[in-house]
Amino acid sequence: MTSYTVLHDPDGLLGAELPLDREPHMALVKEVLAWPDMADVASGDCLQIALQLTGHGRAVADDVRRLSAELPEDHEIRALADVVLREADRRLSARRMGTVHCVQQRARMVRALYERLDRINSARSIASSPRTAVSPN
C-alpha cells in the first residue's frame, strides 16, 4: 500500500518560497526541442521527461499566476499571461504519452511560461523603479 503526505497550503506559500530551478529545466527544454520529430527515444524516457516538465511547468505557472495577479486587471501583460495560463492548464493536465511529440509539447509550454514570467518581472521592475528627473540642461 502506498502512503502519501498531503500538505495544507491554501495560500500557496510553500511554492512561493522556493526558487525555481530554471537553468537545468531550460537546458532540458532546449535539448528536447532540438530532437527531430521521429527521434528514437524510449517511451519510458519520454514519460519521465514529460513528468519532469509537467511538474516544473506547474511550478512556473503558479509563479506566473501569483505575480500576474499583482498587476492591474487591465494590464496587457496580465491579459497575455491569462491566455498562456489557460493553455498551460489544458496542456499540462492532458494525459502524458510516451512520445517525442508529447514531450516537445510540454517543453514548448515550459518555454512559454518562462517567457510570460520574464515579461511580468520586467513590467514589475519598470513599475517599481524610481523615476529620475531629467535635467533641463
Side-chain angles (χ1 to χ4, degrees):
M1 181 174 188
T2 306
S3 69
Y4 296 96
T5 301
V6 177
L7 298 176
H8 181 68
D9 185 27
D11 297 320
L13 297 176
L14 290 175
E17 298 295 322
L18 300 173
L20 296 172
D21 202 6
R22 181 177 184 152
E23 296 308 317
H25 285 91
M26 287 308 293
L28 178 60
V29 164
K30 185 177 179 180
E31 179 69 28
V32 164
L33 292 177
W35 291 346
D37 289 338
M38 300 304 290
D40 186 22
V41 182
S43 177
D45 292 341
C46 285
L47 286 169
Q48 276 302 117
I49 295 168
L51 180 63
Q52 183 174 356
L53 290 174
T54 300
H56 192 72
R58 286 184 177 147
V60 179
D62 288 345
D63 275 4
V64 169
R65 191 171 283 110
R66 181 176 50 80
L67 294 175
S68 70
E70 295 174 5
L71 296 171
E73 285 189 32
D74 62 344
H75 199 290
E76 178 183 345
I77 291 175
R78 182 174 178 169
L80 293 172
D82 289 343
V83 170
V84 172
L85 287 168
R86 281 193 301 274
E87 185 65 13
D89 289 342
R90 186 181 71 78
R91 287 189 183 195
L92 296 176
S93 65
R95 184 171 170 248
R96 287 181 302 279
M97 309 292 284
T99 64
V100 169
H101 177 74
C102 173
V103 172
Q104 288 178 329
Q105 288 287 58
R106 288 166 199 269
R108 285 184 194 93
M109 198 70 257
V110 169
R111 182 178 62 190
L113 286 164
Y114 269 121
E115 288 169 359
R116 281 297 113 210
L117 186 62
D118 291 345
R119 291 203 174 131
I120 291 168
N121 283 328
S122 291
R124 292 176 72 227
S125 67
I126 290 170
S128 67
S129 67
R131 304 207 190 281
T132 57
V134 177
S135 168
N137 295 341

